[in-house]
Amino acid sequence: MAIRRAVAPGSFDPITLGHLDVIERASKIFDEVIVAVLINSTKAGLFSIEERIDLITRSVSHLKNVRVDSWSGLLADYCEDHEIAAIVKGLRAVSDFDYELQMSQMNLKLKGIETFFMATKPDYSFLSSSLVKEISKYGGDVGSWVPSHVHLALQSRFGK
Ligand code: PNS
């Protein structure tokens, strides 16, 4: 039987507990989950791609069927190259839906890749990497929303 392999794509700048929840739940459904950091050359991140990969790798070390990768280009091409039939995305609120629907339909059209949406846990429905960075930048405590090593990395980046 073919391996059911899925990709959980994103910027992950940095990974949050919301991302991790979706990755953990996806790892129970698919045989293998690849967390792919998509490189956007027009958008400078807080963390480098290598740092993001390291933070994700440490966050998923307890999940034996999850690995981490990065990709510069179309997600649909990554899926085709790596024999991935499914994309997994978390949906936090209706506001996520329009854009996610558009991308999922485009990825289906481009390469026949299916997208599975997973409802985010209500505890994390307000959470985003952007808000975590902003709160951390101004000295707010984001310890409830990111893994502890990510919290430390944020504090160190903002000189706290
Ligand atoms: O965490 P994000 O920033 O919401 O993730 C968005 C991401 C990286 C998954 C999306 O922008 C993407 O797939 N980028 C890769 C380039 C691509 O394939 N664009 C066309 C999408 S139909």
Side-chain angles (χ1 to χ4, degrees):
M1 200 176 77
I3 289 185
R4 288 174 304 174
R5 189 179 287 135
V7 63
S11 306
F12 301 106
D13 187 36
I15 186 167
T16 68
L17 291 183
H19 292 128
L20 193 54
D21 172 51
V22 169
I23 295 163
E24 279 173 349
R25 287 158 60 201
S27 76
K28 292 182 187 146
I29 293 167
F30 292 94
D31 296 323
E32 184 179 20
V33 174
I34 302 169
V35 182
V37 180
L38 270 295
I39 301 170
N40 181 347
S41 54
T42 62
K43 208 166 124 189
L46 177 65
F47 294 102
S48 70
I49 301 302
E50 292 69 29
E51 288 169 326
R52 293 181 217 181
I53 290 173
D54 176 60
L55 293 173
I56 300 167
T57 303
R58 291 162 66 188
S59 307
V60 301
S61 59
H62 60 298
L63 302 169
K64 297 304 163 212
N65 62 338
V66 175
R67 61 190 173 87
V68 189
D69 199 3
S70 63
W71 177 257
S72 178
L74 286 178
L75 178 59
D77 287 337
Y78 180 82
C79 293
E80 186 179 54
D81 287 4
H82 294 79
E83 298 181 349
I84 294 168
I87 297 166
V88 177
K89 297 294 289 281
L91 272 188
R92 289 166 296 192
V94 180
S95 51
D96 281 343
F97 187 71
D98 279 353
Y99 187 48
E100 292 295 343
L101 179 67
Q102 204 182 356
M103 284 198 290
S104 67
Q105 289 169 329
M106 189 57 91
N107 285 321
L108 186 63
K109 192 82 183 163
L110 284 170
K111 301 280 173 171
I113 315 289
E114 298 288 355
T115 298
F116 290 81
F117 292 117
M118 200 171 268
T120 301
K121 266 193 190 160
D123 316 19
Y124 303 133
S125 61
F126 54 87
L127 186 54
S128 71
S129 297
S130 309
L131 274 183
V132 159
K133 282 184 281 192
E134 187 166 320
I135 293 164
S136 192
K137 181 177 171 184
Y138 295 110
D141 184 0
V142 296
S144 311
W145 303 313
V146 291
S148 53
H149 60 279
V150 175
H151 192 198
L152 285 174
L154 282 162
Q155 287 174 323
S156 137
R157 189 54 47 103
F158 290 122
K160 298 287 180 309

